[in-house]
Amino acid sequence: MNIIDDKKLSLIMKLAISYVLLLNFVFLFYVFNTDPSSDQTARGAVFTNLLVWSATLYAPLAAFFLYDSWKEQKQYEITKELMIDVITVLSDLYIKIGKAINLAERLKEIDNDKITLQSFINAKELRNVDDLNKIYALIHLYENITGDKALMKYKSNFDKTTFEIETFLTKLDLLYLQYFESLDLKIESNFTRTQTYKKDEKAIVKNNIDAINNIFKNPMPFSNNEIPYDLSFDQSKKNFERSYENFIQKISEILNP
């Protein structure tokens, strides 16, 4: 049963239970405040008036329950729209960075093959601050509506792992650009191209190759709240993917409680 059906059922139960309780009160009031020996017509009139009174009293109560249910459903609909927007922006950013990671990993073979990437990694353009700010704004709005502060933790972790992987990508971008220019490579197609090094070519870019290999082999120093730590490229990639998966999982829990 989805959340809308649950809310409808909850509303029906609230309306039914409240009216039953009100009728019980009317009945008890009638029993304890009506003389059994009095005229039957008079007792009937009293009971009828009590029913009218209960209906009058029930009307604003029912209106309150209906309004409260409408407000909850409207909040859920707004929350759903916000979360869908977050997923859209988040997934687009994840795919964009994921493509850059895949390109970067081709450079792990640069010691064996001359590699011409279909485009430069350009990691400096990947970290779209507008997208990250948009995600923050959507979550902040969600917090104001629901009072739920849990989601921002996942966003902060995604920001952190995004920064880490893009630090690697930025360095690889600069190093590959030097390698690219040293060999005077040309982009001839939309595909990554691997070739055997020609005579003396590898010697020309040996320092570039070593520098690129060092990025993959050696951990890089980072700092979080002034606490230093080291991180490898592969671990950074795993952390980035995990933070995205956890973020999406948390949003799914909000959409499907």
Side-chain angles (χ1 to χ4, degrees), residues 192-208:
T192 299
R193 184 180 181 186
T194 59
Q195 298 171 285
T196 303
Y197 284 106
K198 296 178 181 178
K199 183 180 180 181
D200 297 330
E201 276 188 330
K202 191 172 181 179
I204 294 173
V205 290
K206 183 180 184 306
N207 290 338
N208 305 111

Side-chain angles (χ1 to χ4, degrees), residues 207-226:
N207 290 338
N208 305 111
I209 292 173
D210 290 343
I212 290 172
N213 285 334
N214 284 336
I215 296 294
F216 292 114
K217 293 178 180 179
N218 299 323
M220 189 179 295
F222 289 91
S223 177
N224 184 26
N225 295 326
E226 299 184 355

Side-chain angles (χ1 to χ4, degrees), residues 113-149:
D113 298 300
K114 180 172 62 176
I115 297 177
T116 305
L117 295 178
Q118 60 182 357
S119 62
F120 294 137
I121 297 173
N122 283 328
K124 56 182 174 294
E125 298 177 2
L126 289 176
R127 194 159 196 257
N128 193 322
V129 177
D130 289 340
D131 285 344
L132 294 174
N133 288 339
K134 188 181 295 184
I135 293 173
Y136 174 83
L138 290 169
I139 294 176
H140 186 62
L141 183 57
Y142 165 79
E143 288 181 341
N144 289 338
I145 293 173
T146 65
D148 181 9
K149 305 292 184 180

